[in-house]
mmCIF file of all heavy atoms in Angstrom:
data_model
loop_
_atom_site.group_PDB
_atom_site.id
_atom_site.type_symbol
_atom_site.label_atom_id
_atom_site.label_comp_id
_atom_site.label_asym_id
_atom_site.label_seq_id
_atom_site.Cartn_x
_atom_site.Cartn_y
_atom_site.Cartn_z
ATOM 1 N N THR A 1 164.327 40.992 74.517
ATOM 2 C CA THR A 1 164.929 39.660 74.500
ATOM 3 C C THR A 1 165.802 39.456 73.275
ATOM 4 O O THR A 1 166.904 38.915 73.362
ATOM 5 C CB THR A 1 163.833 38.583 74.549
ATOM 6 O OG1 THR A 1 162.970 38.838 75.671
ATOM 7 C CG2 THR A 1 164.446 37.193 74.692
ATOM 8 N N THR A 2 165.299 39.926 72.113
ATOM 9 C CA THR A 2 166.028 39.720 70.856
ATOM 10 C C THR A 2 166.651 40.990 70.305
ATOM 11 O O THR A 2 167.401 40.938 69.331
ATOM 12 C CB THR A 2 165.080 39.152 69.791
ATOM 13 O OG1 THR A 2 164.056 40.117 69.506
ATOM 14 C CG2 THR A 2 164.442 37.857 70.266
ATOM 15 N N ASP A 3 166.313 42.149 70.905
ATOM 16 C CA ASP A 3 166.785 43.463 70.465
ATOM 17 C C ASP A 3 166.266 43.850 69.090
ATOM 18 O O ASP A 3 166.836 44.705 68.413
ATOM 19 C CB ASP A 3 168.310 43.523 70.478
ATOM 20 C CG ASP A 3 168.803 44.965 70.674
ATOM 21 O OD1 ASP A 3 168.174 45.701 71.460
ATOM 22 O OD2 ASP A 3 169.804 45.346 70.049
ATOM 23 N N LYS A 4 165.170 43.216 68.629
ATOM 24 C CA LYS A 4 164.573 43.539 67.343
ATOM 25 C C LYS A 4 163.495 44.600 67.521
ATOM 26 O O LYS A 4 162.729 44.575 68.487
ATOM 27 C CB LYS A 4 163.975 42.298 66.692
ATOM 28 C CG LYS A 4 165.003 41.282 66.245
ATOM 29 C CD LYS A 4 164.339 40.100 65.562
ATOM 30 C CE LYS A 4 165.357 39.087 65.072
ATOM 31 N NZ LYS A 4 164.706 37.913 64.417
ATOM 32 N N VAL A 5 163.406 45.507 66.563
ATOM 33 C CA VAL A 5 162.386 46.545 66.590
ATOM 34 C C VAL A 5 161.047 45.941 66.195
ATOM 35 O O VAL A 5 160.913 45.332 65.142
ATOM 36 C CB VAL A 5 162.758 47.696 65.650
ATOM 37 C CG1 VAL A 5 161.625 48.704 65.578
ATOM 38 C CG2 VAL A 5 164.034 48.379 66.114
ATOM 39 N N ILE A 6 160.068 46.098 67.028
ATOM 40 C CA ILE A 6 158.722 45.584 66.782
ATOM 41 C C ILE A 6 157.848 46.634 66.129
ATOM 42 O O ILE A 6 157.037 46.343 65.267
ATOM 43 C CB ILE A 6 158.078 45.097 68.089
ATOM 44 C CG1 ILE A 6 158.926 44.034 68.744
ATOM 45 C CG2 ILE A 6 156.665 44.575 67.855
ATOM 46 C CD1 ILE A 6 159.159 42.811 67.866
ATOM 47 N N LEU A 7 158.000 47.886 66.560
ATOM 48 C CA LEU A 7 157.236 48.997 65.998
ATOM 49 C C LEU A 7 158.190 50.148 65.748
ATOM 50 O O LEU A 7 158.807 50.668 66.667
ATOM 51 C CB LEU A 7 156.118 49.418 66.957
ATOM 52 C CG LEU A 7 155.227 50.585 66.488
ATOM 53 C CD1 LEU A 7 154.396 50.165 65.281
ATOM 54 C CD2 LEU A 7 154.312 51.057 67.622
ATOM 55 N N GLN A 8 158.325 50.525 64.492
ATOM 56 C CA GLN A 8 159.176 51.654 64.146
ATOM 57 C C GLN A 8 158.533 52.950 64.604
ATOM 58 O O GLN A 8 157.342 52.955 64.971
ATOM 59 C CB GLN A 8 159.439 51.683 62.641
ATOM 60 C CG GLN A 8 158.207 51.735 61.789
ATOM 61 C CD GLN A 8 158.517 51.649 60.315
ATOM 62 O OE1 GLN A 8 159.595 52.041 59.870
ATOM 63 N NE2 GLN A 8 157.600 51.130 59.527
ATOM 64 N N PRO A 9 159.290 54.045 64.647
ATOM 65 C CA PRO A 9 158.764 55.284 65.232
ATOM 66 C C PRO A 9 157.341 55.609 64.797
ATOM 67 O O PRO A 9 157.057 55.755 63.612
ATOM 68 C CB PRO A 9 159.768 56.332 64.755
ATOM 69 C CG PRO A 9 161.049 55.565 64.625
ATOM 70 C CD PRO A 9 160.659 54.208 64.141
ATOM 71 N N TYR A 10 156.449 55.684 65.800
ATOM 72 C CA TYR A 10 155.018 55.863 65.553
ATOM 73 C C TYR A 10 154.555 57.154 66.221
ATOM 74 O O TYR A 10 154.814 57.378 67.410
ATOM 75 C CB TYR A 10 154.235 54.660 66.106
ATOM 76 C CG TYR A 10 152.790 54.592 65.680
ATOM 77 C CD1 TYR A 10 152.407 53.825 64.588
ATOM 78 C CD2 TYR A 10 151.798 55.284 66.371
ATOM 79 C CE1 TYR A 10 151.070 53.735 64.206
ATOM 80 C CE2 TYR A 10 150.478 55.224 65.989
ATOM 81 C CZ TYR A 10 150.119 54.454 64.896
ATOM 82 O OH TYR A 10 148.792 54.383 64.508
ATOM 83 N N ALA A 11 153.853 58.008 65.491
ATOM 84 C CA ALA A 11 153.437 59.322 65.978
ATOM 85 C C ALA A 11 152.329 59.199 67.030
ATOM 86 O O ALA A 11 151.355 58.473 66.832
ATOM 87 C CB ALA A 11 152.964 60.185 64.816
ATOM 88 N N ILE A 12 152.497 59.897 68.137
ATOM 89 C CA ILE A 12 151.471 59.949 69.178
ATOM 90 C C ILE A 12 151.222 61.405 69.582
ATOM 91 O O ILE A 12 152.080 62.267 69.426
ATOM 92 C CB ILE A 12 151.868 59.128 70.430
ATOM 93 C CG1 ILE A 12 153.172 59.657 71.024
ATOM 94 C CG2 ILE A 12 151.931 57.657 70.123
ATOM 95 C CD1 ILE A 12 153.502 59.060 72.388
ATOM 96 N N ASP A 13 150.033 61.667 70.101
ATOM 97 C CA ASP A 13 149.605 63.001 70.502
ATOM 98 C C ASP A 13 150.116 63.314 71.913
ATOM 99 O O ASP A 13 149.748 62.647 72.877
ATOM 100 C CB ASP A 13 148.079 63.081 70.465
ATOM 101 C CG ASP A 13 147.558 64.478 70.796
ATOM 102 O OD1 ASP A 13 148.377 65.406 70.962
ATOM 103 O OD2 ASP A 13 146.325 64.622 70.910
ATOM 104 N N LEU A 14 150.950 64.327 72.029
ATOM 105 C CA LEU A 14 151.491 64.733 73.324
ATOM 106 C C LEU A 14 150.952 66.078 73.798
ATOM 107 O O LEU A 14 151.465 66.635 74.772
ATOM 108 C CB LEU A 14 153.024 64.798 73.269
ATOM 109 C CG LEU A 14 153.749 63.465 73.057
ATOM 110 C CD1 LEU A 14 155.249 63.712 72.986
ATOM 111 C CD2 LEU A 14 153.429 62.486 74.176
ATOM 112 N N LYS A 15 149.938 66.582 73.116
ATOM 113 C CA LYS A 15 149.373 67.862 73.554
ATOM 114 C C LYS A 15 148.775 67.700 74.942
ATOM 115 O O LYS A 15 148.049 66.742 75.213
ATOM 116 C CB LYS A 15 148.304 68.338 72.566
ATOM 117 C CG LYS A 15 148.824 68.726 71.201
ATOM 118 C CD LYS A 15 147.783 69.413 70.364
ATOM 119 C CE LYS A 15 146.647 68.497 70.018
ATOM 120 N NZ LYS A 15 147.084 67.446 69.057
ATOM 121 N N ILE A 16 149.108 68.627 75.811
ATOM 122 C CA ILE A 16 148.545 68.581 77.158
ATOM 123 C C ILE A 16 147.066 68.922 77.059
ATOM 124 O O ILE A 16 146.693 69.988 76.562
ATOM 125 C CB ILE A 16 149.262 69.554 78.101
ATOM 126 C CG1 ILE A 16 150.721 69.140 78.263
ATOM 127 C CG2 ILE A 16 148.566 69.599 79.448
ATOM 128 C CD1 ILE A 16 151.522 70.010 79.145
ATOM 129 N N PRO A 17 146.207 68.034 77.482
ATOM 130 C CA PRO A 17 144.762 68.241 77.299
ATOM 131 C C PRO A 17 144.204 69.348 78.178
ATOM 132 O O PRO A 17 144.753 69.691 79.215
ATOM 133 C CB PRO A 17 144.156 66.889 77.685
ATOM 134 C CG PRO A 17 145.144 66.329 78.647
ATOM 135 C CD PRO A 17 146.498 66.799 78.200
ATOM 136 N N PHE A 18 143.102 69.925 77.726
ATOM 137 C CA PHE A 18 142.398 70.899 78.513
ATOM 138 C C PHE A 18 141.941 70.293 79.819
ATOM 139 O O PHE A 18 141.700 69.096 79.925
ATOM 140 C CB PHE A 18 141.199 71.427 77.729
ATOM 141 C CG PHE A 18 141.579 72.130 76.469
ATOM 142 C CD1 PHE A 18 141.296 71.591 75.243
ATOM 143 C CD2 PHE A 18 142.258 73.319 76.516
ATOM 144 C CE1 PHE A 18 141.678 72.228 74.074
ATOM 145 C CE2 PHE A 18 142.646 73.962 75.365
ATOM 146 C CZ PHE A 18 142.356 73.423 74.136
ATOM 147 N N LEU A 19 141.843 71.143 80.832
ATOM 148 C CA LEU A 19 141.445 70.783 82.189
ATOM 149 C C LEU A 19 142.541 70.144 83.017
ATOM 150 O O LEU A 19 142.469 70.132 84.219
ATOM 151 C CB LEU A 19 140.231 69.837 82.196
ATOM 152 C CG LEU A 19 138.906 70.402 81.767
ATOM 153 C CD1 LEU A 19 137.847 69.308 81.833
ATOM 154 C CD2 LEU A 19 138.476 71.528 82.652
ATOM 155 N N GLN A 20 143.534 69.595 82.390
ATOM 156 C CA GLN A 20 144.526 68.863 83.143
ATOM 157 C C GLN A 20 145.584 69.763 83.757
ATOM 158 O O GLN A 20 146.433 69.301 84.502
ATOM 159 C CB GLN A 20 145.191 67.816 82.248
ATOM 160 C CG GLN A 20 144.233 66.768 81.713
ATOM 161 C CD GLN A 20 143.513 66.024 82.809
ATOM 162 O OE1 GLN A 20 144.057 65.830 83.895
ATOM 163 N NE2 GLN A 20 142.283 65.611 82.558
ATOM 164 N N LEU A 21 145.504 71.028 83.492
ATOM 165 C CA LEU A 21 146.450 71.964 84.083
ATOM 166 C C LEU A 21 145.934 72.512 85.405
ATOM 167 O O LEU A 21 146.599 73.287 86.057
ATOM 168 C CB LEU A 21 146.723 73.112 83.115
ATOM 169 C CG LEU A 21 147.427 72.710 81.819
ATOM 170 C CD1 LEU A 21 147.459 73.877 80.854
ATOM 171 C CD2 LEU A 21 148.822 72.230 82.098
ATOM 172 N N THR A 22 144.752 72.118 85.788
ATOM 173 C CA THR A 22 144.150 72.635 87.002
ATOM 174 C C THR A 22 143.709 71.504 87.918
ATOM 175 O O THR A 22 143.479 70.386 87.489
ATOM 176 C CB THR A 22 142.931 73.514 86.695
ATOM 177 O OG1 THR A 22 141.910 72.685 86.140
ATOM 178 C CG2 THR A 22 143.276 74.610 85.716
ATOM 179 N N ASN A 23 143.590 71.827 89.176
ATOM 180 C CA ASN A 23 143.105 70.865 90.156
ATOM 181 C C ASN A 23 141.593 70.806 90.216
ATOM 182 O O ASN A 23 141.029 69.806 90.624
ATOM 183 C CB ASN A 23 143.624 71.199 91.550
ATOM 184 C CG ASN A 23 145.113 70.979 91.667
ATOM 185 O OD1 ASN A 23 145.722 70.399 90.790
ATOM 186 N ND2 ASN A 23 145.697 71.462 92.740
ATOM 187 N N TYR A 24 140.930 71.851 89.803
ATOM 188 C CA TYR A 24 139.497 71.936 89.913
ATOM 189 C C TYR A 24 138.877 72.320 88.584
ATOM 190 O O TYR A 24 139.400 73.157 87.857
ATOM 191 C CB TYR A 24 139.075 72.923 91.003
ATOM 192 C CG TYR A 24 139.562 72.510 92.364
ATOM 193 C CD1 TYR A 24 140.774 72.942 92.841
ATOM 194 C CD2 TYR A 24 138.833 71.627 93.141
ATOM 195 C CE1 TYR A 24 141.246 72.526 94.070
ATOM 196 C CE2 TYR A 24 139.294 71.195 94.369
ATOM 197 C CZ TYR A 24 140.492 71.656 94.830
ATOM 198 O OH TYR A 24 140.970 71.232 96.048
ATOM 199 N N THR A 25 137.748 71.705 88.299
ATOM 200 C CA THR A 25 137.106 71.879 87.017
ATOM 201 C C THR A 25 136.197 73.099 86.990
ATOM 202 O O THR A 25 136.236 73.900 86.080
ATOM 203 C CB THR A 25 136.282 70.629 86.674
ATOM 204 O OG1 THR A 25 137.037 69.483 86.858
ATOM 205 C CG2 THR A 25 135.792 70.694 85.274
ATOM 206 N N VAL A 26 135.360 73.234 87.978
ATOM 207 C CA VAL A 26 134.333 74.257 87.990
ATOM 208 C C VAL A 26 134.419 75.087 89.261
ATOM 209 O O VAL A 26 134.541 74.547 90.352
ATOM 210 C CB VAL A 26 132.932 73.637 87.880
ATOM 211 C CG1 VAL A 26 131.861 74.709 87.916
ATOM 212 C CG2 VAL A 26 132.803 72.819 86.613
ATOM 213 N N ILE A 27 134.369 76.370 89.123
ATOM 214 C CA ILE A 27 134.285 77.272 90.259
ATOM 215 C C ILE A 27 132.829 77.689 90.399
ATOM 216 O O ILE A 27 132.252 78.282 89.494
ATOM 217 C CB ILE A 27 135.177 78.513 90.071
ATOM 218 C CG1 ILE A 27 136.610 78.098 89.761
ATOM 219 C CG2 ILE A 27 135.111 79.406 91.294
ATOM 220 C CD1 ILE A 27 137.246 77.271 90.849
ATOM 221 N N ASN A 28 132.207 77.377 91.513
ATOM 222 C CA ASN A 28 130.781 77.601 91.685
ATOM 223 C C ASN A 28 130.448 79.027 92.086
ATOM 224 O O ASN A 28 131.152 79.636 92.896
ATOM 225 C CB ASN A 28 130.212 76.647 92.723
ATOM 226 C CG ASN A 28 130.186 75.218 92.235
ATOM 227 O OD1 ASN A 28 129.793 74.951 91.111
ATOM 228 N ND2 ASN A 28 130.635 74.305 93.068
ATOM 229 N N ASN A 29 129.369 79.511 91.497
ATOM 230 C CA ASN A 29 128.752 80.769 91.890
ATOM 231 C C ASN A 29 129.685 81.966 91.841
ATOM 232 O O ASN A 29 129.479 82.952 92.535
ATOM 233 C CB ASN A 29 128.133 80.644 93.285
ATOM 234 C CG ASN A 29 127.011 79.621 93.309
ATOM 235 O OD1 ASN A 29 126.228 79.534 92.374
ATOM 236 N ND2 ASN A 29 126.961 78.837 94.364
ATOM 237 N N GLY A 30 130.710 81.858 91.008
ATOM 238 C CA GLY A 30 131.559 83.011 90.815
ATOM 239 C C GLY A 30 132.307 83.485 92.037
ATOM 240 O O GLY A 30 132.707 84.636 92.127
ATOM 241 N N LYS A 31 132.502 82.605 93.000
ATOM 242 C CA LYS A 31 133.247 83.000 94.179
ATOM 243 C C LYS A 31 134.688 83.319 93.800
ATOM 244 O O LYS A 31 135.248 82.718 92.911
ATOM 245 C CB LYS A 31 133.210 81.898 95.235
ATOM 246 C CG LYS A 31 131.841 81.656 95.831
ATOM 247 C CD LYS A 31 131.889 80.548 96.865
ATOM 248 C CE LYS A 31 130.511 80.319 97.469
ATOM 249 N NZ LYS A 31 130.533 79.215 98.462
ATOM 250 N N GLU A 32 135.251 84.271 94.499
ATOM 251 C CA GLU A 32 136.631 84.619 94.216
ATOM 252 C C GLU A 32 137.546 83.424 94.444
ATOM 253 O O GLU A 32 137.377 82.660 95.378
ATOM 254 C CB GLU A 32 137.088 85.779 95.100
ATOM 255 C CG GLU A 32 136.380 87.089 94.772
ATOM 256 C CD GLU A 32 136.918 88.240 95.566
ATOM 257 O OE1 GLU A 32 137.509 88.004 96.624
ATOM 258 O OE2 GLU A 32 136.772 89.386 95.122
#
């Protein structure tokens, strides 16, 4: 509305978290 900066550049974590690269979490009983 006013074009004023409310928060200047703020660092955030963009690391892709573990588990999120897969569709399934656990493979049961060692099945292929």
Side-chain angles (χ1 to χ4, degrees):
T1 307
T2 64
D3 207 38
K4 291 182 178 179
V5 174
I6 303 301
L7 180 67
Q8 57 185 332
Y10 191 95
I12 59 170
D13 183 5
L14 294 178
K15 292 190 294 290
I16 296 180
F18 298 111
L19 291 180
Q20 298 302 329
L21 295 171
T22 67
N23 291 349
Y24 298 91
T25 311
V26 179
I27 306 300
N28 290 315
N29 297 321
K31 293 180 180 179
E32 293 185 338

